Amino acid sequence: EVRLVESGGALVQPGGSLRLSCAASGFTFGSADMTWVRQAPGKGPEWVSLISTSGRITYYADSVKGRFTIARDNGKNTVYLQMNSLKAGDAAVYYCCTGGYRYWGKGTQVNVSS
């Protein structure tokens, strides 16, 4: 059974930082590109970032470039999203998924508010 379990979401103040984790199991993690997608209330899903199988190549949405960093540890079957300088517009449920969007986690809530 494929599982993707996000964690690390919390309430933070604008300008704060947070690191999300996604623990993967049930497939060959090291052969899968991994993606973060977010969805705010009343809005459609927004692609955030992608990391290649080795971690050598990364991509970011313009809205988060320079503030977020994606990383992975294939030995731990885990992908991370380091989020810095958080803004109110970053508040959303954050999902990790395989690069081709075949599998999704259930998401973790990030709230940014003063």
Side-chain angles (χ1 to χ4, degrees):
E1 178 188 12
V2 172
R3 293 194 71 195
L4 297 169
V5 181
E6 302 94 338
S7 62
L11 171 64
V12 297
Q13 294 185 355
S17 296
L18 205 57
R19 188 168 87 150
L20 308 183
S21 298
C22 174
S25 61
F27 66 101
T28 305
F29 180 78
S31 70
D33 295 346
M34 295 298 296
T35 299
W36 286 96
V37 175
R38 68 187 183 186
Q39 187 166 19
K43 299 178 67 176
E46 177 189 14
W47 173 81
V48 174
S49 186
L50 179 146
I51 188 166
S52 64
T53 56
S54 68
R56 185 166 170 261
I57 302 171
T58 59
Y59 297 94
Y60 300 92
D62 287 343
S63 58
V64 308
K65 194 173 299 180
R67 300 187 298 118
F68 290 13
T69 303
I70 191 170
R72 68 191 296 160
D73 185 336
N74 287 350
K76 297 183 182 293
N77 283 6
T78 302
V79 62
Y80 306 94
L81 187 68
Q82 177 68 48
M83 306 186 296
N84 299 326
S85 302
L86 283 161
K87 306 173 179 179
D90 296 320
V93 177
Y94 283 72
Y95 302 90
C96 75
C97 56
T98 53
Y101 308 108
R102 179 184 291 267
Y103 303 109
W104 294 68
K106 294 181 179 179
T108 187
Q109 178 73 53
V110 173
N111 192 16
V112 185
S113 177
S114 59

